[in-house]
Amino acid sequence: MGRAMIVSAGSNANEYLSARLTELGYLRPVIVPSGTEARRRMLAEGFELVVVNAPLPDEFGHELCAAAVEQTDAGVILLAKAAACDELLAPMNGQGVLVVPKPFSAALFLQAVHMAAAGNHRLQRLRAEQDRLQQKLAELRLTGRAKCLLIQHRGLTEAEAHRYLEKTAMDTRQNRIKVAQDVINALDPDAACGV
């Protein structure tokens, strides 16, 4: 498992939560006592799981949960008294925060941690896919620009420009992106100058 952060001001709760997370494979969870410290740590370090035991000394904790969901890919769990959970359940679930009423059983906490971890893994896969698609889109733009320049400056058709890029890449044992960039640098003086 990855890294976990517990945001809680109660020493008894910290020990219990830390022990449960360690049993689940989160080695040495980071424990911070306030929302301010948690925000600083969230930005500086990568966590797969954030558990907020409300209320905190400097805020209730639901704002921190919303910030964690917005700024990280971590699974986020808010532990709050049952009365507060009734009010927070709908808005927090809408933001992707799991709300667990206190007191809770070990089984319920285990289930919440597993659900949060599953959400984190799903987000990581989606982020990787998004990065792959962004890279592919950038490659398509670059090769499209190279084809346009070949059409404009060398009078090739689109099919001939495509064939030229493919054949040059094979003949020179370079990837198409490198060949496309070389074509752009050779045929577009503004691109070569970084304009």
Side-chain angles (χ1 to χ4, degrees), residues 13 17 23 28 32 39 90 93 95 98 104 129 171 181:
L17 295 171
E23 289 169 3
R28 293 188 295 185
V32 296
R39 282 180 174 80
N93 281 343
Q95 292 180 9
L98 293 166
F104 50 83
E129 179 66 9
D171 292 348
Q181 188 61 58

Side-chain angles (χ1 to χ4, degrees), residues 15-114:
E15 289 177 25
Y16 176 82
L17 295 171
S18 181
R20 296 298 76 75
L21 292 178
T22 301
E23 289 169 3
L24 293 171
Y26 292 95
L27 301 179
R28 293 188 295 185
V30 174
I31 301 172
V32 296
S34 69
T36 303
E37 176 68 12
R39 282 180 174 80
R40 188 183 65 74
R41 297 289 291 264
M42 272 190 319
L43 296 177
E45 305 170 39
F47 294 102
E48 289 185 12
L49 177 68
V50 175
V51 178
V52 178
N53 183 21
L56 302 173
D58 56 347
E59 64 180 276
F60 184 76
H62 64 289
E63 305 93 345
L64 173 62
C65 291
V69 167
E70 196 172 297
Q71 297 170 3
T72 73
D73 290 342
V76 181
I77 300 173
L78 174 64
L79 308 173
K81 293 202 177 194
C85 284
D86 292 341
E87 292 178 30
L88 293 172
L89 188 62
M92 289 288 98
N93 281 343
Q95 292 180 9
V97 176
L98 293 166
V99 180
V100 177
K102 296 191 289 189
F104 50 83
S105 66
L108 179 60
F109 183 68
L110 172 73
Q111 184 179 15
V113 170
H114 284 307

Side-chain angles (χ1 to χ4, degrees), residues 161-171 174 176 179:
H162 179 79
R163 172 85 176 116
Y164 173 83
L165 292 174
E166 292 289 327
K167 184 165 178 10
T168 304
M170 278 187 2
D171 292 348
Q174 296 177 332
R176 256 186 327 160
V179 172

